[in-house]
Amino acid sequence: MIKNQLKYNADKIDKFLINYIRKQKKSLLVSPMKYGVISGGKKIRAKIMFDVGKLFNISEKKLINICVAVECIHSYSLIHDDLPCMDNDSIRRGKPATHKKYGEATAVLAGNSLLTLAFELITDKKYSITHKQKIEVVKSLAECSGHTGIAGGQQLDLKFENKKKKISQIIDMQKKKTGKLFNFCFKAVGIIANKSTKEKESLGILGENIGLLFQLADDFLDIKGSKKLVGKQIQKDAKKGKSTLLNLMGYKKAYKYANNLKKNILLKIEKHGKKAKDLSETIEFILGRNF
Ligand code: GRG
């Protein structure tokens, strides 16, 4: 069952991170950082990386630092996303958002510290990938997180509120805001598997499309999900005037679009045969999920 696999995987990521932070010097930010990243969230980006690793026989040990780093960046983006100056949400993962629990200044600093922790994790001298791979992974993660990636996507998301935008503009925004981190998850495995530049690019594009699918599912949950299961406020997108494919196309058309996207993604990984079993299940889960 994918739910059990996700839970098992999330515990593994949490344990690694708790252990990693324990070995660092103490600071006042450890508690809000842990609050924002540990014991909550599906950790699906890490799961996807392990699934992609299986396509190329890459062990979890070779990927774990990057998986934990991705989850740090993701949680950082959620902590900042919930701030009053961004999406102004007070509930995240079924508990008060980090700024509600610790205050806004602390939430900003805890988020920033998770961002930098991600790069510490990847460049750690005990992490056994080559220096060349570390540099390439760091560059890719920086590109996917900054103004050409999630931060840039978030800026577009905020600018698009209450504006009439074209489908192509919304897709571009969502591919940056949500897709780029999934792009990174795929590309990073390509780097560790020593794939060619062309192969790494194709892996990235595939990941980005899975990110778009993930965002579509997130938009469906905003309409039809249960607040308890999703762990955050629902039915906010329309109220906030968010530009989403769902708001533009309507539920039926958007669902058809998402289903076609999923089919095309599954076709792309078919060539890996049995090795793609876990990845296919995760992709099915992404569109069918209720949390
Ligand atoms: C530069 C990293 C960075 C952040 C600053 C605030 C911001 C810019 C970006 C926000 C990006 C954002 C919130 C994208 C939404 C992606 C999304 C669908 C989140 C929900 O992800 P899940 O369902 O959450 O994986 P859990 O709680 O399971 O981890």
Side-chain angles (χ1 to χ4, degrees), residues 199-211:
E199 282 171 301
K200 285 182 283 196
E201 281 312 306
S202 326
L203 281 166
I205 291 168
L206 183 58
E208 206 162 295
N209 281 321
I210 293 177

Side-chain angles (χ1 to χ4, degrees), residues 108-124:
V108 169
L109 295 171
N112 290 347
S113 304
L114 286 172
L115 165 70
T116 52
L117 183 61
F119 293 98
E120 280 185 65
L121 280 154
I122 296 167
T123 52
D124 196 300

Side-chain angles (χ1 to χ4, degrees), residues 36-287:
V37 66
I38 291 163
S39 312
K42 295 176 283 299
K43 309 277 187 318
I44 198 159
R45 291 152 188 83
K47 166 81 167 72
I48 285 229
M49 277 195 69
F50 287 141
D51 292 346
V52 180
K54 286 182 185 147
L55 304 181
F56 308 117
N57 304 318
I58 304 291
S59 70
E60 291 197 356
K61 194 168 173 268
K62 285 258 176 222
L63 297 175
I64 183 92
N65 286 52
I66 310 177
C67 291
V68 178
V70 162
E71 292 299 341
C72 286
I73 297 265
H74 167 60
S75 287
Y76 145 56
S77 78
L78 297 183
I79 294 171
H80 282 196
D81 189 49
D82 290 339
L83 288 167
C85 61
M86 299 263 183
D87 274 359
N88 193 18
D89 281 312
S90 49
I91 305 283
R92 170 70 64 182
R93 296 171 173 166
K95 55 186 188 180
T98 306
H99 70 276
K100 283 284 167 191
K101 170 108 175 147
Y102 292 93
E104 282 177 44
T106 302
V108 169
L109 295 171
N112 290 347
S113 304
L114 286 172
L115 165 70
T116 52
L117 183 61
F119 293 98
E120 280 185 65
L121 280 154
I122 296 167
T123 52
D124 196 300
K125 60 175 185 290
K126 286 199 190 118
Y127 179 35
S128 62
I129 59 171
T130 67
H131 276 85
K132 192 169 167 273
Q133 285 170 331
K134 283 183 188 174
I135 290 168
E136 203 178 337
V137 169
V138 162
K139 185 162 192 302
S140 174
L141 185 57
E143 277 171 5
C144 288
S145 306
H147 73 103
T148 54
I150 37 187
Q154 175 77 351
Q155 175 75 353
L156 291 173
D157 181 79
L158 295 169
K159 292 282 172 224
F160 285 3
E161 277 179 12
N162 298 308
K163 303 238 164 65
K164 184 128 186 66
K165 291 287 157 191
K166 289 190 237 148
I167 289 183
S168 59
Q169 289 175 300
I170 298 175
I171 291 176
D172 174 60
M173 175 269 285
Q174 296 193 332
K175 277 191 172 175
K176 288 190 175 112
K177 186 181 84 155
T178 309
K180 281 291 178 188
L181 206 51
F182 285 86
N183 173 316
F184 170 77
C185 291
F186 274 67
K187 200 171 173 187
V189 180
I191 294 169
I192 305 303
N194 295 315
K195 295 286 163 197
S196 68
T197 307
K198 204 173 153 211
E199 282 171 301
K200 285 182 283 196
E201 281 312 306
S202 326
L203 281 166
I205 291 168
L206 183 58
E208 206 162 295
N209 281 321
I210 293 177
L212 179 62
L213 186 69
F214 191 86
Q215 183 58 56
L216 275 154
D218 204 68
D219 298 343
F220 297 142
L221 285 175
D222 182 69
I223 299 271
K224 298 217 166 161
S226 124
K227 182 181 165 189
K228 199 165 169 231
L229 288 177
V230 180
K232 61 182 180 181
Q233 212 66 44
I234 54 163
Q235 309 207 327
K236 328 161 301 208
D237 287 350
K239 271 186 226 151
K240 284 182 183 162
K242 285 283 179 199
S243 284
T244 66
L245 290 177
L246 180 54
N247 288 341
L248 195 69
M249 296 177 177
Y251 194 91
K252 241 179 153 176
K253 268 196 181 162
Y255 195 82
K256 205 172 159 196
Y257 179 89
N259 217 25
N260 279 333
L261 183 62
K262 184 189 81 176
K263 277 189 198 153
N264 285 330
I265 292 165
L266 289 172
L267 268 178
K268 283 255 167 3
I269 60 170
E270 227 175 30
K271 63 178 179 206
H272 296 281
K274 280 187 192 151
K275 287 182 181 175
K277 184 179 164 284
D278 285 355
L279 182 57
S280 307
E281 274 175 24
T282 305
I283 291 162
E284 289 289 354
F285 165 78
I286 283 178
L287 188 57

Side-chain angles (χ1 to χ4, degrees), residues 14-24:
D14 284 352
K15 248 193 201 154
F16 186 99
L17 194 50
I18 290 168
N19 206 23
Y20 194 87
I21 294 176
R22 192 185 295 133
K23 287 182 191 151
Q24 295 189 311

